[in-house]
């Protein structure tokens, strides 16, 4: 191995020293290796401070130097790329300006220019280059304009960022005619159209006929080629194409194509040939100077093959078959390097050809060296285009078609097929699934130097996040680890030592999962406990954790894992972890798996000292017995079930106020140290949504070695079971804790149904419908309806419900009676039809037929115009000549006939779905195999004899005889497909695929009702391409919601519009709805999002006031920390849109954005643009206002503390003019909130409503605004509900009541929860606590909600006992919540109730303490 380390060291120094020198192979002779090795060894020896096991100590400190100037993060500057001839010697000077996406061409272009200046008799070259991102900087952009104005040749490549493409076009287009040549290689179409080489242009690209365009189009249709793939194929077939062109055009087209070949070649020689060829043929002064002289015969392009295997020390530059490669590698290289080729793990590496062409490969060499020093074989491949699926297929299988690699690392950072331009994710995923090995996509820094990235709290540049993190995730990639930076002066890539080490370690560990025997693998199942110190061990959204662990253990055993004496029953597993289901987390009653003394802790945890700033020396008092750090859990054979510690600051009011989150405590660090270094886990399985690891402080994306998620997980492969409806937080887990996610199903949503007085009301209404004409009985029933409505507290929801004391229906008109009954009916139908996830999900248990019906009914409601599918309700409504939207409108307004009709349509749609599902239901009420009714022979013969399909017949039987079977066909075929997805069972197989080191297929996360592609679960969940939102459909829905919102507000304020609305934006909601709430913000301000030619939304335009027809409404946008992480480009979009409005010269009474920004600019003494900042969030790496944490853990004194937390933690402004940071702007945040008239949030999914989670009230600013306003008036609080096709805007108090009636107070909900036992009690208590949260932040919870909850759970002795026996800790918390609600003034009740609660509290305490 020593020999090899010497060679590795030599590689690095050689690569760096001779980057652009000509060479046929990377290492020319053994002597060169020895000399380089000695130099490198000296470099090591001079640096005693750094000693690691790594053969890569090249980058012991920051390798990059930064010049000033720069754009978004980019502190490099074009002057370092400027070459001016020292002595033109009377030669004409040709000036070249180039713009590139990445910096690897810099050294080759510089070298080419210098070679011409030194050696050419005919011309001299002045050359200057710009990185695309630098053009954001105003000074750089001004200099760029000056440079292009006196240039001869302009070259551009990979210009795929819309707003920068526009800047390039803005400068080059007017100067195009005076430039001698414009060479644009693959870029946005509008930039490609700038091409000009003599008579050759691409002016009509994408618009009308041209030989080149036709060829490209044909190739794309044949094999789905990207633009660059098409260009490459065109190069190969150039002679055929050129014969169709006139000779002068053919010469010019040939010059362009040759130029592209030289450019792809990338070496200094190739670029020198390009400049000489174009200069002598097209640049006026050079042509003039060469009159009468012999033209220089430029060398043919020196090109590497389009695809090949490359290795830095190979005697041949590349190998075109893997047989030839392994002939050399296994027989010559491996023995020399001490690698055992028969037993070594093999890592496939995907490289970018341009780095090999330009000899900018040191970062590649370093990773290869690291992997080989660990005893692994490597197979580094590249492709000339942007489709790597071909080389993967060609080089990663042996002659028998068996995969030869155990893990793949893609070092390009791009999607596997299509790179930054246009991707084919399906092709990529199927290529990777066929190979079936873990697929990692690491990221080189492109637009930042190492120092900028290290200093940035945001981490990786947002453009790179979109192109090189989001898009590869859709292919199924995991682990976006930064592994290389670039040197400021030369633009060359430099490896980042600790990151390359980590990447090598993690790749080897994933490969290990593939090669190690299952019986020898150690798996750590990690469960969560939140809030801590209660009956909450095993918390996860909608998941029955211990029942699911039981299923996973059974599967592990079946696949040969050693699970020791693990119990086979849920209760016994729970008992073994808790020791006692009544345990408290801070007592020794929780099972202690390991006690770690402080000496061992400090020795094994390299960052332990850094935690002392926040927590003092170890062991501290969290997860500690006073002397040791304590790890809770239980080991069974090779499986450990452990309890992840909590954040640690939940109950500490001072810590909750900090603007930035604290580091993990010692107990948290000790837990992960135990897993990796003492238990020696091969993988960790994080169990359910969600823990704290991924939310620990650090960069947003692109972790460094000082970010806590990175330090904690270190080299452990992590599989993370995550709820399918929460793609945003799952994405945070993927990016920040390097987890591969496995989605799980949330329980199917059913109708909430009716109970008690609400059920009685429906029966009364049914009676009224039959007797409304009867003057004796009809009015009596109406009186009963009014009385029962009052009893059920519906007076809060029906503004003109008649007074109980004075009203008698006998004295009323029939129309008015219908109106009253219609409004009551509309309210109870809202409650009855509200979707309600029932119970908890167990991993690996697919829904029953009944549960499948519930899901499909909701899928069937929605129109899907993009797929040509009408929802069943629309088809039914059309059969009676009605539009479903009109029926919804009448229903919402309480029109009795429409409420009845809406109910009837809903029942008919349900019957149709039931008819479809019943075809495939077995005797156990489950769907094992979906019968394909559309292909059934019986269905065909049935059609011949005129029989209706069962679903059509069901609708006819429900009173709609004219329904069109033809119009139903698309939606029913779609539902049949969805049924197959709903009942597919891939969760356990998905977990096992990851633990067995296989490729897990990607799938979108989100709401399975809006997007059934989320199903089946058990796949690696991803978010969406952030540049794709908001979609056009989302914009249309948003405009409709904004119209309803403003109508409601104008109606209630004598026609006056609100001046400012406070908005909350969530990551998951915008993924599920493709950006609806983001589009609402833009719609209110009166700006329109615009998509570029690749369909990416990255610019906005102002809608003229005359078209808008109303004032521009000001907004204050509070983005969740997760939204900030996922959609920073959309924050940029909003900020630019709001500033457009603020700077528009319009009357102030028609532009409230400008009105308020002008006032704030004066008040705060800042510019108008700065005063117009309206997009806020947490500081980078921090999440939430901690209001939820305070309320869940009782860690708050009074409401002012909660409000201060909100203002401190959420007051970081995003500013598109300074986009590299989140800047604390508390004064501006307060000044903007002070003007707010309305607070607004969106509810877009039935699965997560406003009392299911604390997030909604955590970010609600209602009382904050009230405290800041001069008049102390509470703003109106509204919620948009788009959970069904019938979107509505309700007040917050209406929404809280609806949520309480359908969940907390609904027997269907609480009995469903109680049926799951221990976890169920916790779920009920969580909703009670979250309801109180709304009292604290908005004061919008009616007294009857607490009173009725007290009646259900406390007054009933039988219910009391059930809760106490099932989970005494959660029941104690419930009693505490009632007492706290009363003590804080949110609930007025009788002395008797309070005394009962106080007695109960003492009783439960005794029970828990074992008294």
């Amino acid at each position: 191995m020593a020999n090899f380390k010497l060679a590795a060291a030599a590689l690095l120094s050689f690569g760096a020293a001779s980057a652009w020198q000509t060479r046929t192979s990377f290492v020319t002779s053994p002597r060169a290796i020895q000399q380089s090795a000695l130099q490198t060894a000296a470099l090591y020896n001079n640096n005693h401070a750094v000693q690691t096991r790594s053969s890569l100590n090249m980058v012991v400190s920051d390798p990059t130097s930064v010049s000033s100037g720069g754009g978004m993060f980019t502190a490099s500057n074009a002057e370092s790329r400027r070459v001016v001839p020292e002595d033109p010697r009377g030669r004409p000077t040709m000036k070249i300006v180039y713009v590139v996406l990445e910096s690897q061409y810099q050294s080759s272009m510089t070298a080419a220019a210098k070679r011409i200046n030194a050696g050419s008799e005919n011309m001299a070259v002045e050359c200057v280059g710009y990185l695309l991102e630098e053009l954001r900087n105003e000074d750089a952009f001004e200099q760029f304009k000056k440079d292009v104005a006196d240039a001869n040749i302009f070259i551009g490549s990979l210009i795929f960022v819309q707003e920068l493409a526009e800047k390039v076009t803005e400068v080059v287009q007017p100067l195009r005619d005076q430039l001698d040549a414009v060479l644009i290689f693959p870029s946005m179409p509008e930039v490609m159209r700038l091409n000009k080489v003599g008579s050759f242009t691409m002016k009509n690209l994408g618009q009308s006929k041209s030989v080149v365009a036709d060829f490209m189009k044909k190739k794309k249709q044949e094999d789905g080629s990207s633009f660059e793939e098409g260009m490459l194929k065109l190069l190969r077939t150039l002679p055929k194409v050129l014969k169709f062109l006139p000779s002068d055009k053919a010469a010019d087209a040939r010059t362009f194509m040759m130029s592209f070949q030289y450019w792809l070649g990338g070496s200094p020689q190739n670029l020198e040939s390009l400049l000489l060829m174009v200069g002598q043929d097209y640049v006026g002064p050079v042509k003039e100077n060469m009159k009468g002289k012999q033209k220089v015969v430029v060398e043919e392009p020196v090109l590497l093959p389009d695809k090949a295997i490359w290795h830095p020390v190979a005697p041949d530059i590349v190998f075109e078959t893997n047989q030839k490669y392994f002939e050399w590698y296994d027989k010559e290289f491996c023995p020399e390097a001490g690698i055992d080729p028969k037993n070594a793990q093999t890592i496939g590496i995907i490289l970018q050809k341009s780095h090999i062409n330009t000899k900018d490969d040191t970062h590649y060499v370093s990773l290869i060296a690291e992997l080989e020093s660990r005893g692994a074989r490597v197979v580094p491949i590249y492709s000339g285009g942007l489709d790597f699926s071909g080389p993967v297929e060609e080089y990663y299988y042996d002659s028998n078609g068996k995969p030869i690699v155990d893990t793949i690392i893609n070092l390009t950072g791009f999607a596997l097929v299509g790179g930054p331009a246009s991707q084919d994710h399906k092709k990529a995923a199927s290529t990777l699934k066929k190979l079936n090995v873990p697929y990692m996509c690491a990221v080189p820094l492109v637009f930042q130097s190492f120092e900028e990235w290290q200093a940035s709290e945001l981490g990786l540049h947002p453009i790179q996040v979109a192109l090189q993190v989001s898009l590869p995730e859709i292919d199924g990639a995991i682990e976006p680890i930064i592994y290389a930076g670039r040197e400021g002066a030369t633009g060359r890539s430099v490896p980042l030592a600790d990151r390359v080490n980590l990447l090598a370690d993690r790749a080897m560990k994933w490969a290990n999962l593939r090669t190690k025997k299952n019986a020898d693998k150690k798996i750590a199942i990690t469960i969560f406990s939140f809030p801590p110190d209660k009956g909450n061990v095993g918390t996860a959204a909608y998941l029955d954790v211990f029942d699911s662990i039981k299923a996973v253990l059974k599967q592990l055993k079946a696949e040969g894992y050693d699970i020791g004496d693990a119990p086979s029953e849920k209760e016994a597993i729970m008992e073994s972890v808790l020791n006692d289901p009544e345990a408290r987390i801070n007592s020794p009653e929780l099972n202690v798996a390991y006690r770690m003394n402080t000496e061992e802790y400090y020795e094994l945890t390299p960052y332990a000292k850094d935690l002392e700033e926040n927590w003092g020396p170890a062991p501290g008092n969290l997860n500690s017995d006073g002397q040791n750090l304590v790890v809770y859990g239980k080991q069974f054979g090779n499986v450990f079930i452990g309890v992840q510690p909590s954040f640690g600051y939940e109950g500490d009011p001072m810590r909750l106020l900090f603007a930035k989150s604290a580091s993990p405590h010692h107990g948290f660090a000790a837990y992960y140290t135990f897993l990796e270094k003492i238990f020696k886990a091969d993988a960790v399985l994080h169990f359910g949504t969600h823990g704290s690891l991924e939310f620990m402080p650090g960069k947003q994306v692109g972790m460094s070695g000082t970010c806590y998620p990175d330090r904690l997980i270190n080299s452990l492969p992590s599989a993370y079971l995550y709820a399918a409806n929460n793609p945003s937080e799952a994405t945070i887990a993927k990016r920040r804790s390097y987890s591969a996610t496995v989605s799980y199903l949330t329980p199917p949503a059913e109708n909430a149904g009716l109970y008690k007085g609400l059920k009685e009301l429906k029966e009364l209404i049914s009676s009224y419908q039959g007797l409304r004409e009867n003057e004796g009985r009809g009015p009596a029933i109406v009186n009963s309806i009014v009385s029962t409505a009052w009893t059920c507290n519906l007076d809060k929801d029906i503004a003109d419900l008649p007074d109980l004391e004075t009203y008698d229906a006998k004295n009323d008109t029939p129309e008015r009676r219908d109106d009253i009954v219609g409004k009551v009916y509309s309210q109870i139908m809202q409650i009855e039809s509200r979707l309600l996830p029932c119970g908890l999900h167990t991993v690996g248990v697919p829904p029953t037929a009944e549960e499948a019906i519930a899901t499909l009914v909701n899928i069937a409601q929605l129109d899907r115009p993009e797929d040509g599918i009408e929802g069943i309700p629309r088809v039914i409504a059309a059969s009676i000549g009605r539009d479903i939207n009109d029926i919804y409108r009448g229903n919402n307004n309480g029109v009795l006939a429409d409420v009845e009709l809406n109910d009837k349509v809903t029942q008919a749609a349900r019957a149709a779905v039931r008819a479809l599902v019943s075809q495939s239901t077995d005797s156990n009420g489950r769907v094992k195999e979906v019968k394909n009714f559309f292909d059934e022979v019986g269905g065909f013969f049935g059609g011949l004899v005129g029989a209706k399909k069962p679903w059509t017949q069901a609708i006819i039987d429900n009173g709609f005889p004219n329904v069109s079977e033809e119009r139903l066909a698309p939606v029913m075929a779609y539902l049949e497909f969805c049924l197959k997805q709903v009942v597919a069972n891939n969760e356990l197989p998905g977990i096992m695929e990851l633990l067995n080191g296989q490729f897990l297929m990607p799938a979108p996360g989100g709401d399975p009702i809006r997007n059934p592609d989320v199903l089946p679960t058990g796949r690696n969940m991803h978010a969406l391409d952030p540049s794709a939102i908001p979609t056009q459909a989302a914009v249309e829905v948003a405009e409709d919601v904004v119209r309803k919102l403003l109508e409601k507000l104008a109606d209630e304020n004598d026609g006056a519009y609100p001046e400012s609305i406070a908005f909350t934006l969530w990551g998951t909601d915008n993924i599920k709805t493709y950006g609806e709430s983001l589009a609402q913000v833009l719609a209110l301000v009166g700006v329109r999002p615009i998509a570029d030619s690749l369909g990416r939304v990255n610019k906005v335009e102002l809608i003229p006031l005359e078209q808008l027809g109303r004032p521009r409404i000001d907004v204050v946008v509070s983005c969740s920390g997760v939204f900030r992480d996922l959609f920073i480009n959309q924050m940029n979009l909003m900020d630019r849109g709001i500033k457009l409005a603020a700077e528009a010269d319009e009357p102030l009474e028609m532009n409230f954005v400008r009105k308020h920004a002008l006032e704030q600019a004066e008040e705060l003494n800042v510019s108008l643009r700065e005063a117009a900042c309206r997009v806020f969030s947490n500081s980078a790496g921090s999440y939430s206002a901690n209001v939820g944490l305070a309320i869940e853990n009782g860690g708050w004194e009074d409401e002012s503390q909660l409000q201060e937390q909100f203002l401190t933690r959420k007051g970081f402004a995003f500013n598109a003019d300074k986009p590299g940071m989140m800047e604390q702007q508390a004064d501006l945040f307060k000044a903007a909130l002070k003007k707010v008239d309305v607070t607004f949030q969106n509810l877009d999914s039935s699965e997560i409503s406003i009392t299911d989670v604390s997030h909604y009230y955590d970010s609600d600013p209602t009382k904050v605004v009230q405290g800041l306003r001069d008049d102390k008036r509470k703003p109106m609080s509204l919620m948009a509900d788009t959970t069904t096709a019938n979107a509505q805007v309700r007040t917050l108090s209406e929404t809280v009541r609806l949520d309480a009636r359908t969940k907390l107070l609904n027997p269907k909900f609480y009995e469903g929860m109680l049926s799951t036992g221990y976890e169920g009690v916790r779920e009920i208590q969580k909703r009670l606590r979250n309801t109180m949260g709304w009292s604290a932040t908005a004061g919008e919870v009616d007294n009857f909600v607490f009173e009725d909850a007290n009646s259900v759970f406390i007054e009933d002795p039988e219910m009391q006992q059930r809760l106490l026996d099932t989970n005494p800790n959660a029941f104690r918390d419930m009693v505490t919540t009632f007492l706290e609600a009363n003590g804080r003034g949110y609930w007025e009740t009788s002395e008797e109730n309070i005394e009962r609660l106080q007695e109960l509290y003492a009783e439960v305490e005794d029970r828990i303490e074992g008294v």
Side-chain angles (χ1 to χ4, degrees), residues 1045-1259:
L1045 169 67
L1046 294 178
E1047 278 173 10
K1048 187 176 178 85
L1049 290 167
D1051 284 350
E1052 295 183 15
N1053 292 285
D1054 302 323
Y1057 286 104
E1059 292 199 4
S1060 180
I1061 297 180
F1063 245 83
T1064 307
L1065 293 188
W1066 302 101
T1068 287
D1069 296 11
N1070 277 283
I1071 292 171
K1072 287 177 184 172
T1073 64
Y1074 297 92
E1076 278 176 22
S1077 51
L1078 164 68
Q1080 289 165 5
V1081 172
L1082 299 174
L1084 281 167
V1085 173
V1087 296
R1088 184 183 289 123
I1090 304 293
D1092 65 21
S1093 50
L1094 295 176
R1096 299 175 309 194
V1097 184
N1098 46 28
K1099 58 179 177 173
V1100 283
E1101 66 181 18
L1102 214 54
I1103 300 168
L1105 280 176
E1106 52 273 24
Q1107 194 181 328
L1108 194 62
R1110 58 164 174 83
R1112 301 189 193 281
I1113 312 295
D1114 198 4
V1115 288
V1116 184
V1117 187
S1118 178
C1119 301
S1120 74
V1122 174
F1123 183 95
R1124 174 207 61 212
D1125 285 6
L1126 299 187
F1127 296 119
I1128 197 123
N1129 291 316
Q1130 276 60 32
M1131 289 169 77
N1132 191 308
L1133 202 67
M1134 284 189 287
D1135 186 66
R1136 282 169 24 222
I1138 292 163
K1139 283 172 177 163
L1140 264 183
E1143 291 177 328
D1145 188 6
E1146 295 169 342
L1148 298 186
E1149 69 276 8
M1150 291 301 288
N1151 186 336
F1152 300 136
V1153 186
R1154 181 172 178 78
K1155 176 184 173 184
H1156 296 157
L1158 287 167
E1159 289 169 7
Q1160 283 143 15
E1162 190 177 341
E1163 179 191 337
L1164 300 171
N1165 195 24
V1166 294
S1167 70
L1168 175 67
R1169 278 187 74 77
E1170 205 167 325
C1173 284
R1174 292 288 186 273
V1175 182
F1176 297 88
S1177 185
N1178 297 79
S1179 72
S1182 293
Y1183 300 84
S1184 96
N1186 281 351
V1187 170
L1189 280 176
I1191 288 172
E1192 284 165 339
N1193 294 278
W1196 57 297
E1197 302 296 324
D1198 54 26
E1199 288 178 5
S1200 64
Q1201 179 199 319
L1202 302 180
Q1203 290 158 29
E1204 190 57 37
Q1205 278 178 212
F1206 179 87
L1207 290 167
T1208 306
R1209 287 184 62 85
K1210 302 299 281 188
F1212 287 79
F1214 178 87
N1215 185 345
D1217 302 333
K1218 307 184 222 171
M1221 58 202 282
M1222 297 294 300
E1223 196 172 24
Q1224 185 143 32
Q1225 289 274 23
D1227 291 341
L1228 182 57
F1229 191 37
K1230 288 176 187 174
L1233 285 170
K1234 194 176 177 179
K1235 301 287 184 186
V1236 164
D1237 303 307
V1238 178
T1239 62
F1240 184 79
Q1241 294 202 50
N1242 283 277
L1243 269 183
D1244 59 81
S1245 166
S1246 58
E1247 296 165 302
I1248 302 176
S1249 191
I1250 63 169
T1251 60
D1252 292 329
V1253 291
S1254 60
H1255 303 57
Y1256 286 111
Y1257 71 78
D1258 180 274
S1259 287

Side-chain angles (χ1 to χ4, degrees), residues 76-89:
S76 56
N77 119 16
E79 292 311 307
S80 63
R81 280 169 240 115
R82 190 178 295 278
V83 176
V84 179
E86 287 175 20
D87 179 9
R89 302 196 304 274

Side-chain angles (χ1 to χ4, degrees), residues 749-751 829-830 832-836 857-864 873 884-885 888 891-892 902 906 1007 1009-1010 1037 1040-1041 1044 1073 1076 1243-1247 1280-1290 1298:
E750 300 175 25
N751 288 109
M829 287 313 298
Q830 275 190 55
E832 182 178 36
S833 62
R834 186 82 166 165
L835 297 176
L836 179 70
V857 164
N858 301 320
I859 291 173
Q861 265 194 6
L862 302 179
D863 298 324
R864 300 172 198 273
I884 191 66
N885 293 343
Y888 289 152
N891 173 84
N892 299 347
N902 187 34
T906 304
D1007 180 356
I1009 290 163
R1010 283 175 184 264
V1037 172
D1040 187 45
V1041 169
K1044 286 179 179 172
T1073 64
E1076 278 176 22
L1243 269 183
D1244 59 81
S1245 166
S1246 58
E1247 296 165 302
D1281 182 345
T1282 57
T1283 56
T1284 66
N1286 180 14
Q1288 297 189 54
V1289 176
R1290 298 188 183 94
L1298 184 58

Side-chain angles (χ1 to χ4, degrees), residues 793 1251 1296-1297 1300 1304-1305 1325 1327-1336 1339-1355 1374 1376-1382 1384-1389 1393-1394 1397:
N793 296 291
T1251 60
V1296 171
R1297 287 193 292 274
L1304 186 63
L1305 306 175
Q1325 152 55 15
R1327 277 150 188 92
L1328 179 67
R1329 176 66 65 168
N1330 289 340
T1331 302
M1332 190 184 75
W1334 282 110
S1335 295
E1340 296 286 347
V1341 183
D1342 294 284
N1343 203 66
F1344 84 82
V1345 173
F1346 291 113
E1347 197 67 27
D1348 287 5
N1350 181 68
S1351 301
V1352 171
F1353 301 112
I1354 305 296
E1355 281 181 15
M1374 184 182 284
T1376 307
T1377 304
F1378 278 117
L1379 287 168
E1380 191 177 344
N1382 173 258
R1384 292 188 186 274
Y1386 303 143
W1387 173 40
E1388 286 180 26
T1389 191
N1393 278 342
I1394 297 303
L1397 286 161

